[in-house]
Amino acid sequence: MKKILLTSVVALALSVTSVSAYELKSNMQLLNAELREVQQGFITSDKDGVKSAIERFAKHANELLGNKEKFEKMLPANKKHKSNEAVMSAQIIAHNVQIILDAVENKYNQSGKLRREESQRAYTYIEHACFRCHNIVRDEN
Ligand code: HEC
């Protein structure tokens, strides 16, 4: 009896880990798809496309990365100490999303060329935030 109980506890623990691994993976794939839509918007100079894609992306990025405890739960045991990176990345992403939205809405009354350049640069900084965290979490230590 004790053995059966122990086995099921272990099985439960294993399935919880894989559920969070699955959750992390599918959420990351969603962010990836949405960021690619943003990139498409920029490359085809589709302002409305950029706006709708960046809004969806921003919402999901914040939901996934904005809460340290939630993100920590999704990380495997040997990586949990890297959860700080999530909130840091969420802030970098939110800051650059705002730059893009302000440019799209011409909040500061700037030329179209300047707005395009600034928002495109902000897009690359968002991508950099993805790379930055991957470099850290994929490192051995
Ligand atoms: C706070 C850290 C962090 C940030 C920021 C982050 N990721 Fe991830 N990402 C991970 C972790 C952890 C994994 C899972 C382990 C692995 O793949 O090394 C992962 C995995 C992935 C995967 C692979 C999913 C699969 O199929 O296995 C993709 C794609 C991905 N991320 C895209 C992105 C994109 C796009 C961004 C930026 C918008 C981003 N990530 C930002 C931590 C992060």
Side-chain angles (χ1 to χ4, degrees):
M1 181 60 190
K2 217 172 181 180
K3 204 169 175 187
I4 295 172
L5 196 65
L6 193 66
T7 319
S8 50
V9 167
V10 170
L12 187 68
L14 282 176
S15 67
V16 168
T17 337
S18 54
V19 164
S20 24
Y22 172 77
E23 215 190 337
L24 181 61
K25 191 173 159 167
S26 54
N27 277 303
M28 285 290 166
Q29 285 170 351
L30 178 67
L31 284 192
N32 198 28
E34 287 174 338
L35 191 61
R36 219 171 320 172
E37 269 185 64
V38 176
Q39 192 263 359
Q40 281 302 302
F42 278 120
I43 218 78
T44 58
S45 298
D46 170 10
K47 195 161 82 174
D48 295 338
V50 166
K51 185 171 190 285
S52 74
I54 198 77
E55 281 169 347
R56 271 178 283 128
F57 167 80
K59 179 173 179 287
H60 294 135
N62 190 52
E63 280 169 8
L64 179 65
L65 304 166
N67 183 312
K68 181 175 180 280
E69 285 71 34
K70 192 179 151 201
F71 195 78
E72 192 173 338
K73 283 200 191 101
M74 294 185 202
L75 288 174
N78 60 339
K79 305 266 165 157
K80 294 218 184 286
H81 60 291
K82 298 184 177 182
S83 61
N84 277 329
E85 291 310 317
V87 175
M88 171 72 113
S89 314
Q91 285 165 353
I92 298 173
I93 289 172
H95 175 74
N96 286 291
V97 164
Q98 196 57 53
I99 291 175
I100 294 172
L101 288 175
D102 289 349
V104 167
E105 281 150 23
N106 197 10
K107 193 168 172 194
Y108 302 109
N109 206 14
Q110 292 162 317
S111 75
K113 180 168 181 285
L114 188 64
R115 285 188 283 136
R116 285 192 295 276
E117 281 175 2
E118 284 189 346
S119 57
Q120 287 157 359
R121 190 174 312 116
Y123 163 79
T124 68
Y125 289 161
I126 293 176
E127 212 164 45
H128 187 249
C130 314
F131 293 147
R132 189 178 155 277
C133 185
H134 288 173
N135 290 339
I136 295 168
V137 294
R138 289 176 180 162
D139 204 53
E140 313 287 295
N141 304 302

